[in-house]
Protein backbone atom coordinates (compact mmCIF):
# COMPACT_ATOMS: atom_id res chain seq x y z
CA UNK A 1 0.00 0.00 0.00
CA UNK A 2 1.37 3.40 -0.97
CA UNK A 3 1.24 6.47 1.26
CA UNK A 4 -0.09 9.90 0.41
CA UNK A 5 1.29 12.95 2.22
CA UNK A 6 -1.18 15.62 3.31
CA UNK A 7 0.96 18.50 4.54
CA UNK A 8 0.72 22.16 5.45
CA UNK A 9 2.97 24.85 6.92
CA UNK A 10 1.55 27.91 8.68
CA UNK A 11 2.73 30.93 10.65
CA UNK A 12 1.48 33.88 12.66
CA UNK A 13 3.64 36.79 13.78
CA UNK A 14 1.86 36.89 17.12
CA UNK A 15 2.29 40.08 19.09
CA UNK A 16 5.97 40.54 18.25
CA UNK A 17 7.46 43.28 16.11
CA UNK A 18 9.17 40.80 13.82
CA UNK A 19 8.60 37.25 12.59
CA UNK A 20 11.78 35.41 13.56
CA UNK A 21 10.46 31.89 12.92
CA UNK A 22 10.99 30.12 9.61
CA UNK A 23 9.32 26.93 8.43
CA UNK A 24 9.36 25.01 5.14
CA UNK A 25 8.36 21.74 3.54
CA UNK A 26 10.80 20.83 0.78
CA UNK A 27 10.28 17.94 -1.67
CA UNK A 28 13.31 16.20 -3.11
CA UNK A 29 13.78 17.34 -6.73
CA UNK A 30 14.36 13.80 -8.06
CA UNK A 31 12.93 11.39 -5.49
CA UNK A 32 9.10 11.58 -5.18
CA UNK A 33 9.08 9.59 -1.93
CA UNK A 34 11.50 11.94 -0.13
CA UNK A 35 10.51 15.18 1.59
CA UNK A 36 12.06 17.34 4.30
CA UNK A 37 10.24 19.48 6.86
CA UNK A 38 12.30 22.07 8.71
CA UNK A 39 11.41 24.64 11.36
CA UNK A 40 13.75 27.18 12.93
CA UNK A 41 13.03 29.72 15.66
CA UNK A 42 15.43 32.65 15.62
CA UNK A 43 16.33 33.58 19.16
CA UNK A 44 14.10 36.52 20.03
CA UNK A 45 16.51 37.92 22.61
CA UNK A 46 19.38 38.12 20.13
CA UNK A 47 19.96 40.41 17.18
CA UNK A 48 19.93 38.63 13.88
CA UNK A 49 17.49 35.92 14.99
CA UNK A 50 15.47 36.12 11.79
CA UNK A 51 18.63 35.85 9.69
CA UNK A 52 19.79 32.83 11.69
CA UNK A 53 16.49 31.03 11.17
CA UNK A 54 16.52 31.89 7.47
CA UNK A 55 20.04 30.46 7.19
CA UNK A 56 18.74 27.12 8.52
CA UNK A 57 16.04 27.00 5.84
CA UNK A 58 18.43 27.91 3.04
CA UNK A 59 21.00 25.35 4.16
CA UNK A 60 18.40 22.60 4.52
CA UNK A 61 16.97 23.31 1.07
CA UNK A 62 20.40 23.32 -0.59
CA UNK A 63 21.56 20.15 1.13
CA UNK A 64 18.39 18.28 0.20
CA UNK A 65 18.95 19.16 -3.45
CA UNK A 66 22.27 17.28 -3.35
CA UNK A 67 21.01 14.38 -1.21
CA UNK A 68 21.43 10.95 -2.84
CA UNK A 69 19.36 8.42 -0.86
CA UNK A 70 21.16 5.41 -2.33
CA UNK A 71 24.55 6.75 -1.28
CA UNK A 72 23.82 8.60 1.98
CA UNK A 73 21.87 7.92 5.14
CA UNK A 74 19.12 10.22 6.42
CA UNK A 75 21.19 10.78 9.56
CA UNK A 76 24.11 12.04 7.47
CA UNK A 77 21.87 14.53 5.68
CA UNK A 78 20.34 15.95 8.85
CA UNK A 79 23.70 16.08 10.64
CA UNK A 80 25.21 17.99 7.73
CA UNK A 81 22.34 20.49 7.70
CA UNK A 82 22.82 21.16 11.40
CA UNK A 83 26.61 21.36 11.13
CA UNK A 84 26.58 23.75 8.18
CA UNK A 85 23.82 25.91 9.65
CA UNK A 86 25.68 26.24 12.93
CA UNK A 87 28.95 27.22 11.22
CA UNK A 88 27.27 29.71 8.88
CA UNK A 89 25.36 31.34 11.72
CA UNK A 90 28.60 31.61 13.68
CA UNK A 91 30.30 33.14 10.65
CA UNK A 92 27.50 35.65 10.27
CA UNK A 93 27.98 36.62 13.88
CA UNK A 94 31.60 37.55 13.19
CA UNK A 95 30.95 39.38 9.91
CA UNK A 96 27.89 41.37 10.99
CA UNK A 97 28.80 42.05 14.61
CA UNK A 98 25.50 40.50 15.62
CA UNK A 99 24.67 37.64 17.96
CA UNK A 100 22.38 35.33 15.95
CA UNK A 101 21.06 32.04 17.32
CA UNK A 102 18.36 29.61 16.25
CA UNK A 103 16.66 26.41 17.23
CA UNK A 104 16.05 23.73 14.61
CA UNK A 105 13.83 20.70 14.17
CA UNK A 106 14.14 18.54 11.05
CA UNK A 107 12.02 15.66 9.76
CA UNK A 108 12.98 13.59 6.71
CA UNK A 109 10.33 11.31 5.24
CA UNK A 110 11.79 8.68 2.93
CA UNK A 111 9.28 6.08 1.82
CA UNK A 112 8.00 4.46 5.00
CA UNK A 113 10.91 5.69 7.10
CA UNK A 114 10.97 8.87 9.17
CA UNK A 115 14.12 10.36 10.67
CA UNK A 116 14.24 13.49 12.78
CA UNK A 117 16.66 15.64 14.74
CA UNK A 118 16.35 18.76 16.87
CA UNK A 119 18.32 21.33 18.82
CA UNK A 120 16.64 23.76 21.23
CA UNK A 121 13.00 23.93 22.23
CA UNK A 122 11.21 23.75 18.90
CA UNK A 123 9.36 20.46 19.03
CA UNK A 124 8.44 17.41 17.00
CA UNK A 125 5.39 15.29 17.87
CA UNK A 126 4.61 11.93 16.28
CA UNK A 127 1.00 10.78 16.58
CA UNK A 128 -0.71 7.61 15.42
CA UNK A 129 -4.35 8.54 15.30
CA UNK A 130 -4.85 10.48 18.53
CA UNK A 131 -2.14 8.59 20.40
CA UNK A 132 1.25 10.21 20.97
CA UNK A 133 4.10 7.90 19.98
CA UNK A 134 6.91 10.28 20.86
CA UNK A 135 7.82 13.91 21.44
CA UNK A 136 11.21 15.60 21.30
CA UNK A 137 12.58 16.77 24.65
CA UNK A 138 13.41 20.44 24.98
CA UNK A 139 16.99 21.52 25.48
CA UNK A 140 15.91 24.09 28.04
CA UNK A 141 16.56 25.03 31.65
CA UNK A 142 13.00 24.25 32.73
CA UNK A 143 13.12 20.81 31.07
CA UNK A 144 16.29 20.20 33.08
CA UNK A 145 14.38 21.12 36.24
CA UNK A 146 11.52 18.83 35.25
CA UNK A 147 13.93 15.96 34.61
CA UNK A 148 15.40 16.48 38.09
CA UNK A 149 11.94 16.44 39.66
CA UNK A 150 12.28 20.00 40.96
CA UNK A 151 9.21 21.29 39.09
CA UNK A 152 6.26 19.70 37.32
CA UNK A 153 5.57 19.98 33.56
CA UNK A 154 2.65 22.27 34.42
CA UNK A 155 4.88 24.56 36.49
CA UNK A 156 7.38 24.65 33.61
CA UNK A 157 4.82 26.38 31.38
CA UNK A 158 4.80 29.48 33.60
CA UNK A 159 8.35 29.35 34.98
CA UNK A 160 10.12 32.74 34.70
CA UNK A 161 13.11 31.08 32.98
CA UNK A 162 11.09 28.96 30.56
CA UNK A 163 12.74 30.62 27.54
CA UNK A 164 16.33 29.88 28.63
CA UNK A 165 17.93 27.33 26.31
CA UNK A 166 20.90 25.12 27.11
CA UNK A 167 21.99 24.83 23.46
CA UNK A 168 21.20 26.35 20.07
CA UNK A 169 22.72 26.87 16.65
CA UNK A 170 25.18 29.74 16.73
CA UNK A 171 26.43 29.11 20.27
CA UNK A 172 30.14 29.11 21.05
CA UNK A 173 29.90 25.41 21.87
CA UNK A 174 28.89 22.70 19.43
CA UNK A 175 25.11 22.31 19.42
CA UNK A 176 23.53 19.43 21.27
CA UNK A 177 21.38 17.32 18.93
CA UNK A 178 18.84 14.62 19.77
CA UNK A 179 17.68 12.06 17.23
CA UNK A 180 14.72 9.84 16.48
CA UNK A 181 13.49 7.50 13.77
CA UNK A 182 10.63 5.15 13.06
CA UNK A 183 8.51 3.45 10.45
CA UNK A 184 5.38 5.30 9.38
CA UNK A 185 1.98 3.97 8.41
CA UNK A 186 -1.42 5.37 7.38
CA UNK A 187 -2.91 7.39 10.20
CA UNK A 188 0.43 8.80 11.37
CA UNK A 189 0.83 12.53 11.80
CA UNK A 190 3.88 14.65 12.56
CA UNK A 191 3.74 18.13 14.04
CA UNK A 192 6.78 20.43 14.04
CA UNK A 193 6.22 23.66 15.95
CA UNK A 194 7.85 26.55 17.77
CA UNK A 195 7.21 27.35 21.43
CA UNK A 196 4.80 30.06 20.34
CA UNK A 197 2.40 27.22 19.55
CA UNK A 198 3.09 24.26 21.84
CA UNK A 199 2.98 26.34 25.02
CA UNK A 200 -0.82 26.49 24.78
CA UNK A 201 -1.68 22.83 24.25
CA UNK A 202 -1.57 19.50 26.00
CA UNK A 203 -0.37 16.50 24.02
CA UNK A 204 -3.86 15.00 24.22
CA UNK A 205 -5.50 18.07 22.70
CA UNK A 206 -2.97 18.24 19.88
CA UNK A 207 -3.62 14.60 19.05
CA UNK A 208 -7.39 15.05 18.96
CA UNK A 209 -7.26 18.11 16.72
CA UNK A 210 -4.76 16.67 14.26
CA UNK A 211 -6.54 13.30 14.01
CA UNK A 212 -9.91 14.91 13.28
CA UNK A 213 -8.84 17.36 10.58
CA UNK A 214 -6.86 17.70 7.38
CA UNK A 215 -3.38 19.19 7.66
CA UNK A 216 -4.58 22.62 6.55
CA UNK A 217 -7.65 22.61 8.79
CA UNK A 218 -5.67 21.36 11.76
CA UNK A 219 -3.01 24.04 11.33
CA UNK A 220 -5.65 26.78 11.15
CA UNK A 221 -7.41 25.52 14.27
CA UNK A 222 -4.18 25.34 16.27
CA UNK A 223 -3.08 28.85 15.33
CA UNK A 224 -6.55 30.28 16.10
CA UNK A 225 -6.60 28.62 19.52
CA UNK A 226 -3.05 29.72 20.31
CA UNK A 227 -3.98 33.30 19.44
CA UNK A 228 -7.03 33.17 21.70
CA UNK A 229 -5.09 31.70 24.61
CA UNK A 230 -2.10 34.03 24.47
CA UNK A 231 -4.33 37.02 25.37
CA UNK A 232 -2.41 39.54 23.34
CA UNK A 233 1.04 38.40 24.50
CA UNK A 234 1.79 35.75 21.91
CA UNK A 235 5.20 34.88 20.51
CA UNK A 236 5.87 34.07 16.86
CA UNK A 237 3.85 30.96 16.07
CA UNK A 238 4.92 28.47 13.39
CA UNK A 239 4.12 24.88 12.56
CA UNK A 240 4.27 22.15 9.97
CA UNK A 241 1.69 19.34 9.88
CA UNK A 242 2.42 16.15 7.92
CA UNK A 243 -0.29 13.49 7.78
CA UNK A 244 0.25 10.08 6.17
CA UNK A 245 -2.79 8.62 4.46
CA UNK A 246 -3.38 5.37 2.60
CA UNK A 247 -3.04 5.61 -1.17
CA UNK A 248 -4.11 3.20 -3.85
CA UNK A 249 -2.71 -0.30 -3.61
Amino acid sequence: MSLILDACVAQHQGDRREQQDRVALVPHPRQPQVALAVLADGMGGHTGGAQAAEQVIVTATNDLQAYAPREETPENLLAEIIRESHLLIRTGRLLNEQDPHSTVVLLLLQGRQATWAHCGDSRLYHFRGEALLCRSRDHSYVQHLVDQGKITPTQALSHPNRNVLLTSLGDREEPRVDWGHGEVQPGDCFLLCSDGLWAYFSEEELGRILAANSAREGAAILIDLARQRCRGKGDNCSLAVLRLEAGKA
Side-chain angles (χ1 to χ4, degrees):
M1 180 186 297
S2 62
L3 293 176
I4 295 175
L5 179 62
D6 172 29
C8 176
V9 297
Q11 289 188 287
H12 195 289
Q13 187 168 323
D15 301 291
R16 305 302 191 206
R17 293 183 178 180
E18 182 183 13
Q19 174 61 268
Q20 293 194 328
D21 290 357
R22 298 292 187 270
V23 59
L25 177 64
V26 188
H28 194 283
R30 299 174 302 280
Q31 301 288 336
Q33 295 297 312
V34 178
L36 176 69
V38 53
L39 186 146
D41 181 354
M43 302 292 282
H46 299 277
T47 58
Q51 292 92 330
E54 183 66 25
Q55 182 63 69
V56 175
I57 301 297
V58 171
T59 301
T61 301
N62 290 341
D63 285 0
L64 183 67
Q65 305 296 313
Y67 176 56
R70 293 183 179 180
E71 302 171 9
E72 304 173 65
T73 67
E75 290 82 3
N76 286 343
L77 170 65
L78 301 189
E80 187 64 11
I81 291 171
I82 292 171
R83 186 191 70 82
E84 288 186 16
S85 297
H86 173 66
L87 291 177
L88 289 168
I89 292 170
R90 289 278 296 151
T91 301
R93 175 181 182 175
L94 297 174
L95 294 177
N96 300 320
E97 297 183 353
Q98 294 180 327
D99 190 21
H101 296 258
S102 181
T103 69
V104 63
V105 56
L106 298 158
L107 169 67
L108 183 72
L109 293 177
Q110 186 170 312
R112 288 186 172 269
Q113 296 296 317
T115 307
W116 57 89
H118 87 285
C119 174
D121 66 349
S122 294
R123 290 184 179 177
L124 178 142
Y125 297 82
H126 181 191
F127 295 97
R128 182 158 292 161
E130 295 186 8
L132 179 68
L133 297 186
C134 71
R135 172 180 75 77
S136 59
R137 296 184 68 80
D138 304 333
H139 298 137
S140 65
Y141 176 65
V142 294
Q143 183 63 59
H144 175 69
L145 295 179
V146 171
D147 292 342
Q148 290 187 327
K150 294 182 177 180
I151 63 173
T152 67
T154 300
Q155 291 172 326
L157 293 174
S158 58
H159 195 280
N161 293 321
R162 62 188 178 277
N163 294 323
V164 176
L165 297 186
L166 302 180
T167 185
S168 65
L169 304 187
D171 280 351
R172 294 181 183 274
E173 300 79 16
E174 288 298 308
R176 174 182 168 184
V177 181
D178 287 346
W179 297 83
H181 60 87
E183 186 172 339
V184 298
Q185 64 184 44
D188 282 10
C189 182
F190 290 92
L191 170 67
L192 285 65
C193 58
S194 60
D195 61 340
L197 183 97
W198 61 252
Y200 302 104
F201 298 93
S202 68
E203 296 168 353
E204 293 77 13
E205 186 177 20
L206 289 173
R208 288 196 301 271
I209 291 172
L210 294 173
N213 295 278
S214 68
R216 182 177 295 275
E217 291 166 343
I221 291 169
L222 292 177
I223 285 183
D224 286 345
L225 287 173
R227 290 300 299 152
Q228 294 172 27
R229 296 171 182 179
C230 74
R231 299 181 179 180
K233 298 180 180 180
D235 197 354
N236 297 158
C237 178
S238 300
L239 71 158
V241 179
L242 299 90
R243 291 167 46 92
L244 284 303
E245 302 175 351
K248 296 181 180 180

